[in-house]
Amino acid sequence: MLGKHFQKPTQEEGERVPPGQYLTKGFPVLTYGATPQVSTDNWEFRVWGLAKAKTFTWQDFMALPQHEFTADFHCVTRWSKLDVKWTGIKVTDFMELIEVDPKAAHVMEHCYGGYTTNISMPDFMREENFFAFKLFGEPLPAEHGGPLRLVVPHLYAWKSAKWLNGLEFLESEEFGFWERNGYHQRGEPWAEERYSNF
């Protein structure tokens, strides 16, 4: 994996890089299937399941408080990128707009293109998680998940679903696309939870 695009972390960087990971000099794009092309004029975001059903427009999201975030990004395919700069909306701010049943223990992330991934409520509700719509100061490119993706810095990047367009709240865990195809149900980089333990 080492070469002109990847390098071993320095000793100083090593404390921020999970085991088995290499640093990338770029920002690789890994996608299964076609890249959805969705304009913000047509974009919608739905909430359903164990939550009061609600649909949001792009304007609804843009009316929420916006913040700058800097976070390290770790891909299950063994590359990491440090200090990625995003602009987005805190998950905790968005959650103030919806009514969720206390029985909801899991979330299924739904995306344009049909991709899904699951996440537990405790992992989803962490203060550092956010919905991103800019990358390094520019509108989030489609290949990186634009117009909107979730970013969950403490888990592998497949949990930071690209082209996000909805959240389904569930009482029990259900697996999304990659989880059904052999990936770990949680995906914690420091524990190297890459593949299923079932």
Side-chain angles (χ1 to χ4, degrees), residues 10 28 43-44 47 64 74 86 100-101 109 114 118 132 139 179 183:
T10 65
W43 182 89
E44 286 187 340
V47 168
L64 287 165
H74 308 294
W86 311 86
V100 179
D101 190 310
E109 305 169 38
N118 63 287
E179 295 80 16
Y183 277 29

Side-chain angles (χ1 to χ4, degrees), residues 62-83:
M62 293 302 101
L64 287 165
Q66 300 179 8
H67 302 273
E68 304 295 319
F69 302 90
T70 300
D72 298 341
F73 197 79
H74 308 294
C75 182
V76 70
T77 59
R78 297 184 181 271
W79 60 264
S80 293
K81 186 171 181 62
L82 303 183
D83 296 322

Side-chain angles (χ1 to χ4, degrees), residues 11-162:
Q11 186 171 1
E12 182 180 294
E13 294 166 334
E15 296 181 1
R16 296 169 59 187
V17 180
Q21 298 288 109
Y22 297 94
L23 291 179
T24 178
K25 298 175 184 177
F27 200 159
V29 175
L30 300 175
T31 299
Y32 181 86
T35 297
Q37 304 290 329
V38 184
S39 76
T40 54
D41 291 337
N42 298 323
W43 182 89
E44 286 187 340
F45 188 97
R46 294 194 306 123
V47 168
W48 74 99
L50 289 179
K52 185 176 181 180
K54 197 168 183 179
T55 300
F56 297 86
T57 65
W58 187 256
Q59 289 72 25
D60 294 330
F61 255 75
M62 293 302 101
L64 287 165
Q66 300 179 8
H67 302 273
E68 304 295 319
F69 302 90
T70 300
D72 298 341
F73 197 79
H74 308 294
C75 182
V76 70
T77 59
R78 297 184 181 271
W79 60 264
S80 293
K81 186 171 181 62
L82 303 183
D83 296 322
V84 182
K85 298 186 184 303
W86 311 86
T87 305
I89 294 151
K90 290 182 179 181
V91 165
T92 50
D93 286 344
F94 171 77
M95 291 295 287
E96 293 180 6
L97 302 181
I98 65 174
E99 299 175 31
V100 179
D101 190 310
K103 294 197 295 279
H106 297 270
V107 183
M108 186 69 76
E109 305 169 38
H110 290 263
C111 308
Y112 286 102
Y115 177 78
T116 56
T117 190
N118 63 287
I119 187 170
S120 72
M121 282 291 285
D123 280 325
F124 178 67
M125 290 296 297
R126 286 172 59 141
E127 182 67 27
E128 67 266 29
N129 297 342
F130 56 93
F131 301 101
F133 60 88
K134 284 187 179 180
L135 176 62
F136 293 109
E138 299 295 329
L140 186 62
E143 61 267 26
H144 283 297
L148 187 96
R149 74 179 297 165
L150 182 66
V151 178
V152 181
H154 73 285
L155 298 180
Y156 281 124
W158 91 83
K159 298 292 186 177
S160 299
K162 297 190 283 190

